[in-house]
């Protein structure tokens, strides 16, 4: 079994706690679905959010969906002029037999524009 990193991002409609929680759950669920991961495969996850999102922590959304024993961390994304607004990003580390090149990184709701090179 190897450790693999998987990336993802989702753009939100608004800065609202429910929206942050639901979008984070959608992002994490889609990462699991597309890669065949379970919550037990996750070692850790680091979430960032753009400076215009402050209604809740993305990690709270992951906790609500059952990531209760996985170390999670949040931070603010660098405030770059002209950057896409209202984005939650994640870099998660998982245990997997998948070759690195087969890991599917997930970009949703317009966030595909952030990484067209790896967005599925």
């Amino acid at each position: 079994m190897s450790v693999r990193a998987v990336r993802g991002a989702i753009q939100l409609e608004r800065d609202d706690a429910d929206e942050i929680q639901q979008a984070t759950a959608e992002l994490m669920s889609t990462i699991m679905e597309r890669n065949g991961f379970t919550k037990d495969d996750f070692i850790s996850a680091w979430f960032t959010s753009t400076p215009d999102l402050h209604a809740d922590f993305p990690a709270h959304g992951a906790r609500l969906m059952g990531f209760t024993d996985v170390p999670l961390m949040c931070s603010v994304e660098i405030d770059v002029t002209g950057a896409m607004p209202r984005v939650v990003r994640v870099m998660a580390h998982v245990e997997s037999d998948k070759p690195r090149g087969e890991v599917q990184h997930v970009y949703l709701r317009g966030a595909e524009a952030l990484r067209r090179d790896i967005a599925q």
Side-chain angles (χ1 to χ4, degrees), residues 13-63:
E13 291 290 322
R14 64 193 172 286
D15 180 26
D16 173 82
D18 288 337
E19 173 78 359
I20 292 170
Q21 294 163 16
Q22 291 170 4
T24 302
E26 179 183 345
L27 178 60
M28 296 300 285
S29 294
T30 305
I31 287 171
M32 289 190 297
E33 179 183 299
R34 290 189 186 171
N35 287 287
F37 298 150
T38 68
K39 290 178 188 124
D40 289 337
D41 296 325
F42 284 76
I43 297 167
S44 64
W46 178 29
F47 295 93
T48 66
S49 58
T50 49
D52 52 2
L53 294 176
H54 41 74
D56 200 0
F57 297 100
H60 184 218
R63 295 265 183 248

Side-chain angles (χ1 to χ4, degrees), residues 10-12 50 52-53 82-88:
I10 189 166
Q11 187 174 36
L12 284 65
T50 49
D52 52 2
L53 294 176
M84 184 179 288
R86 299 177 317 280
V87 176
V88 169

Side-chain angles (χ1 to χ4, degrees), residues 98-115:
K98 281 181 173 283
R100 184 178 301 150
E102 290 182 17
V103 172
Q104 292 192 34
H105 306 281
V106 175
Y107 292 80
L108 304 171
R109 297 193 201 170
E112 299 88 349
L114 295 171
R115 291 297 307 265

